[in-house]
Amino acid sequence: MRLVRAAFDEIYALLAQMVSSLFRHGLPLTDKIAARTALTNFVLHIHPVRVRRSWIRMSYTLCLGGLSFFLFIVLTVTGLYLMFYYVPSTGHAFQDMRDLQFVITFGGVVRNMHRWAAHLMVITVWLHMARVFLTGSYKKPREFNWAIGTTLLLITLLLSFTGYLLPWDQLSIWAVTVGTNMARYAPIAGPFTRYLLLGGTVVGDNALLRFYVLHVVGLPLFGFLLMVVHFWRVRKDGFSGGL
Amino acid sequence: MATEARERIEARRRVQQREAPLAIRDDKDDEMIVSFPEFIFKEFIVAVGMTVFLVLVSIFLQAPLLGKANAAMTPNPSKAPWYFLGLQELLSRFPPLMAGVAFPTFVIVLMILVPYVDKNPSRRPAERKLAIILFALYSMIAVALVVIGTFFRGHEFTWDWGWVLGSGQ
Ligand code: HEM
């Protein structure tokens, strides 16, 4: 019996060590430990350790920047799931979408989540910009973060646009045809840009592959890097706080 | 001693100028708090709420999937994704070089320049009437163009009351 008890204690101690090694701090029972939690935890360290109540009043940010970022994460996760099944070629893409919709477990729901989250993100990013404008939060010393934000808005739009082509149905190919036709009007660079984007003069196999690569690697990577800088600047410039 | 104090006041003034002045706020109920767990918890709740919302919407609202792409069959009207419909709307009204190139470039460049153009240091809405009115105008025009492009443009991208009156299509 004593042996069982000792073994149990041993296992318990081992488990406790494993669990506590996950965190670099104890349970946040006092303010001091809570502060250390925010300071030393990797996931939480992008937050300030101490904040004024007015800064985190939801009526100020309406959570829009945070929501945009959260939607970006949702899109990354659901997007990974879609990538398991989707082949970016004109011969496969449409059938893969149908399979996702009708055959693959949770395929339909995950596709819908990806689609609606993308639309929603365009809206939340735009509203976040409106919030920043209306509270005058772009003023000194945050001018540059506003510029980074503008680039993020453009990337969000481009991500959405490149994704639009991927289902390869009548909606996507013609929307992208209309969209890329707009690029044609720029003098000199216009037709060239369009050619570069489509890998040809029509929306075909090359265009699908290019849009796919931009959609799943190029733009998310660039966007994520910019978001990291964006958040870093929010911390370093100091959050603008309540009005 | 006196110079040192003056220097310190001067330094503080400089710091305050760098920061746009804030509106007066009641510091009594605006204490500094430790962000964990209160702030983090708020974020967590919002994230959970958003997830639940998205899952529910996605269960009941099917994303569109039309027939397979067919380069030989152009749907009429052909429309860009909704967030570009404002641009398409402009293109249908103005010469392409103006609507498709000059105008968007102007908007993007102006947007980046906003913090440098707006020299007003105040952040109080009451003291920023012009900026707010301009932004409201810009937003209303942008939204109106997208709404028109989405709901009021039919065959050949011509004006169509069908969505409101129930006829057409
Ligand atoms: C992918 C898009 C974006 C993400 C994920 C994002 C995320 C965030 C987050 C989490 C904050 C902290 C405060 C808050 O939640 O409001 C913030 C602040 C800020 N954002 Fe963004 N943002 C994005 C796009 C933009 C855009 C389009 C602009 C403007 C053109 C912008 C300008 C700013 C500025 C100036 C701040 C500092 C605001 C302050 O101190 O009050 N951001 N952003």
Side-chain angles (χ1 to χ4, degrees), chain A residues 55 60-72 121 124-133 135-139 142-156 159 223 227 230-231 233-235 237-242, chain B residues 39 43 111-112 115 123:
Chain A
W55 297 355
Y60 183 63
T61 66
L62 303 172
C63 265
L64 289 164
L67 270 182
S68 307
F69 183 56
F70 182 68
L71 286 173
F72 181 77
M121 185 172 163
T124 58
V125 170
W126 206 90
L127 290 178
H128 168 61
M129 178 202 71
R131 185 292 278 178
V132 171
F133 186 95
T135 57
S137 302
Y138 54 80
K139 300 193 175 190
R142 302 186 187 84
E143 305 100 313
F144 186 62
N145 217 13
W146 171 267
I148 295 175
T150 309
T151 320
L152 277 171
L153 176 66
L154 292 180
I155 288 185
T156 308
L159 267 170
M227 280 180 212
H230 194 61
F231 300 156
R233 284 296 295 238
V234 172
R235 289 292 309 277
D237 294 341
F239 188 58
S240 66
Chain B
F39 177 39
E43 288 186 323
M111 221 181 116
I112 291 179
R123 292 185 48 220

Side-chain angles (χ1 to χ4, degrees), chain A residues 47-110:
Chain A
H47 297 93
V49 175
R50 283 148 60 75
V51 291
R52 278 205 188 283
R53 242 179 233 294
S54 64
W55 297 355
I56 61 170
R57 212 172 278 151
M58 280 189 183
S59 58
Y60 183 63
T61 66
L62 303 172
C63 265
L64 289 164
L67 270 182
S68 307
F69 183 56
F70 182 68
L71 286 173
F72 181 77
I73 294 173
V74 169
L75 285 161
T76 309
V77 175
T78 51
L80 274 178
Y81 190 77
L82 298 178
M83 278 177 78
F84 291 146
Y85 300 102
Y86 176 87
V87 179
S89 88
T90 52
H92 289 100
F94 183 68
Q95 191 52 47
D96 290 346
M97 294 311 293
R98 308 236 314 180
D99 287 349
L100 272 165
Q101 199 102 293
F102 301 116
V103 183
I104 293 154
T105 317
F106 296 127
V109 172
V110 174

Side-chain angles (χ1 to χ4, degrees), chain B residues 89-105:
Chain B
E89 178 66 26
L90 285 175
L91 271 170
S92 73
R93 288 163 184 263
F94 299 101
L97 197 60
M98 190 174 139
V101 184
F103 198 71
T105 311

